[in-house]
Every structure is written in C-alpha cells, then in structure tokens.
Amino acid sequence: MAILSVKNLQKSYKKGFLKKESVKVLKGVNFEVSREIFGFIGPNGAGKTTTMKAIMGFIFPDSGEIRIFGKLNTDVSVKRKVGFLPERPYVPLSITGKEYLDFCADVYGIPYYKRRKKYLKLLELVELVGVEERKLSSYSKGMVQRLLFAATLLNEPEFLILDEPMSGLDPVGRSVIASVIRRLKEEGKAVFYSSHIIQDVERLSDKVAIIVGGEIKLIDSVSSLISKFITGYTLVYRKVGESSLLSKEISRQELWSFLEKLRREGYEIVAVEPKSLSLEDILVSFIKGSGGMI
C-alpha cells in the first residue's frame, strides 16, 4: 500500500481585482509515494507548494483525492503519523531553541518527563547540542532551519513532508539534513520533499517527480531517469596486441555501427562510458518544453 496517493488533483485560484478570472494551478496531478525518499522538483510557480498544502489539508482542491496510509488526508488520525516542514514557517526570534521545542511538544502532547531525552537525541541529530538555551535571534538562518527540521521529528512521524528543507543551509548543513533523511528511510519511514537544489535531489532521492505548469511531466527512479537521458558515449579502445589506448566520443545513434567498425578493423573495446544529462539538465529541458524530445 502506498504511503501517499494523490489522484487527479486540480486546483484553481481567482485573480484580478474583482476576482473574476481563474488561474489553474494544478491540472490533474497524480503520483504515489511508498517507503522511499521521493523528490518533488519544478520551477517557481509549478505547483509544488500548492500540492503540499493540499496534501496537508491547509487548502482544499477543486477535485481529486488524497490518501495517506490508505485514509483520506482529512482524517485526524492520519495527522499523528505525519511530520511537516513548511517552506517559510514563522518562528518568533525572541524565544530560545528549547522554548520552541517545548511549544511543539505541547502541540503533540508529549509529557515533560519524556522531553529532555527526546530533545537531546534530536539536537544531536541536527548538530545543535549546546545552543538550545540561546535566543533564536542569535541563530544563523541555517541553524534555525535545522531546529525546525528537528521539531518535525518530535512526534516520531512515519511520513515526512518537507517543503524546501535545505533552504538557507550551507553545504555542511545540507549534508546533515541529507544524512538524517537517509537515516529516516533506513528506519522504514517515507520522505516526500521539494528542493531547488537539484544536485541534492539527484544524490538523495530514490524517485523523483518533475512538475511544470501544474502538470506532472515525469516520474521515475533517479537512476532510471538519468539512464533514459543518455546523450552519447565515450569509447576507450586499442588495437589488438598494442598497449596504447584511444578514445572517442560518439552519439547514441552511432554506437553500434562504430563498435562493429572497430571489431572489423581489429580493435578491442576497453570501456564504453555513457554520458548522461544531469537531473538539473532534464528539469530545464522540461521547463523549456523539450523534455520529450531529448
């Protein structure tokens, strides 16, 4: 059973001073998330945050169905199993890190006798031990982001929904959050997240969906996706009996005919290395409207 199932999700907003015009933001979005790390990518305005808000029940779609653990996303029992990190959460900077965690623990109904041990574990996880008594105004943007991420884990959720979890993080901070996300997957949890840092998505995700203009353009595993967008090959070969190596870059279309030519002329193949578009290149191709033509 899928952890998250989104079927034919559609959403429109009114625009203009008199709100007479309608803009369709989501145009029949469909996808499923299992116990995996699922990256959700697309340009600004593509519908990523709108989709996440609909999944969380913060906005209501015009049509479609959203189920989490087999139940409608509006079912209160489902909420207890979900951890959510919004893209731009409001946090009062006048409170300390511990006070923020206390506030979240109150929301989750976590008793006081369990909090100290839980806080220490989470702060160690995001490398913030020792700063929890400081005011958030003294934190860097990345430190605040890591604290917010830790707070989403307080209720030990089985499913994480993270809108731009790497926002504001330096490379070390991104590495910390990526490590935690991988650990969550190893524990059997599911993670659905969006990010503009496509290199992180490529390294971290099991599966990825590309959304452009409110439509899902492609869903696949990252490894399969990259292999589908092979642009050519680098061949390394040598004359039989000789040690010097030769190399040549060729297109996908030339591969088999060139290999046959080498065989006829007495060459042996040392290596055939595919050259593929990066996930970022693939996303850009869909944004420009050429994704199906590569």
Side-chain angles (χ1 to χ4, degrees), residues 246-269:
L246 303 170
S247 67
K248 180 178 177 64
E249 294 187 1
I250 61 172
S251 67
R252 294 171 62 179
Q253 294 76 15
E254 296 175 297
L255 177 62
W256 295 109
S257 60
F258 191 75
L259 288 174
E260 178 60 23
K261 178 184 177 183
L262 291 177
R263 187 190 65 80
R264 289 197 310 267
E265 295 179 1
Y267 289 90
E268 62 176 341
I269 309 300

Side-chain angles (χ1 to χ4, degrees), residues 3-294:
I3 302 297
L4 170 67
S5 174
V6 176
K7 294 182 180 179
N8 195 31
L9 200 63
Q10 302 194 44
K11 179 65 180 177
S12 297
Y13 287 110
K14 299 290 184 180
K15 74 169 187 175
F17 180 72
L18 299 176
K19 304 293 184 182
K20 289 186 176 181
E21 295 181 63
S22 182
V23 177
K24 204 160 194 178
V25 180
L26 301 179
K27 306 171 183 177
V29 170
N30 294 274
F31 62 89
E32 290 187 344
V33 178
S34 58
R35 294 190 184 276
E36 61 192 343
I37 301 172
F38 192 111
F40 194 45
I41 62 174
N44 290 333
K48 300 187 299 298
T49 296
T50 300
T51 301
M52 289 186 165
K53 287 181 177 178
I55 292 169
M56 290 301 300
F58 299 150
I59 61 172
F60 296 100
D62 301 331
S63 62
E65 181 182 84
I66 303 169
R67 288 186 175 272
I68 302 175
F69 297 105
K71 297 181 180 181
L72 290 175
N73 67 314
T74 51
D75 190 313
V76 176
S77 66
V78 163
K79 307 290 187 182
R80 301 182 184 278
K81 300 180 180 181
V82 176
F84 175 63
L85 178 63
E87 181 180 7
R88 295 185 183 91
Y90 170 74
V91 183
L93 299 180
S94 59
I95 65 174
T96 68
K98 182 180 179 299
E99 286 171 336
Y100 179 73
L101 292 176
D102 277 334
F103 168 77
C104 294
D106 287 340
V107 172
Y108 292 132
I110 299 171
Y112 282 96
Y113 69 89
K114 288 186 177 180
R115 295 185 185 187
R116 181 176 175 80
K117 185 176 180 180
K118 191 179 286 283
Y119 291 174
L120 181 59
K121 178 182 177 181
L122 292 176
L123 291 170
E124 285 177 344
L125 207 58
V126 297
E127 299 185 8
L128 286 178
V129 174
V131 301
E132 63 270 21
E133 298 292 349
R134 283 168 43 184
K135 295 280 181 89
L136 295 185
S137 58
S138 71
Y139 283 31
S140 68
K141 183 179 179 181
M143 289 169 69
V144 172
Q145 185 71 4
R146 280 186 278 155
L147 180 72
L148 297 177
F149 183 82
T152 66
L153 304 177
L154 271 171
N155 64 326
E156 300 179 15
E158 294 182 44
F159 180 35
L160 275 293
I161 300 174
L162 311 171
D163 195 358
E164 297 289 341
M166 308 292 189
S167 177
L169 297 176
D170 61 17
V172 174
R174 281 158 46 200
S175 176
V176 169
I177 297 303
S179 177
V180 177
I181 289 175
R182 291 190 187 98
R183 179 170 173 174
L184 291 169
K185 185 212 168 181
E186 290 170 2
E187 293 173 356
K189 304 180 190 300
V191 180
F192 174 63
Y193 77 107
S194 67
S195 179
H196 282 107
I197 307 172
I198 307 303
Q199 296 92 334
D200 287 342
V201 177
E202 188 170 332
R203 289 193 297 264
L204 186 59
S205 305
D206 299 307
K207 191 180 291 182
V208 66
I210 294 176
I211 183 170
V212 178
E215 297 179 288
I216 299 292
K217 298 297 184 180
L218 187 149
I219 301 175
D220 209 339
S221 68
V222 172
S223 58
S224 175
L225 187 56
I226 298 300
S227 68
K228 285 179 181 178
F229 284 84
I230 291 173
T231 57
Y233 297 87
T234 299
L235 267 63
V236 180
Y237 55 98
R238 64 187 169 200
K239 197 77 172 179
V240 174
E242 296 183 5
S243 60
S244 57
L245 297 176
L246 303 170
S247 67
K248 180 178 177 64
E249 294 187 1
I250 61 172
S251 67
R252 294 171 62 179
Q253 294 76 15
E254 296 175 297
L255 177 62
W256 295 109
S257 60
F258 191 75
L259 288 174
E260 178 60 23
K261 178 184 177 183
L262 291 177
R263 187 190 65 80
R264 289 197 310 267
E265 295 179 1
Y267 289 90
E268 62 176 341
I269 309 300
V270 177
V272 179
E273 299 175 355
K275 296 178 63 182
S276 178
L277 293 180
S278 68
L279 187 56
E280 186 171 17
D281 293 331
I282 295 169
L283 173 60
V284 170
S285 75
F286 277 104
I287 294 172
K288 292 182 175 179
S290 61
M293 299 169 58
I294 294 176

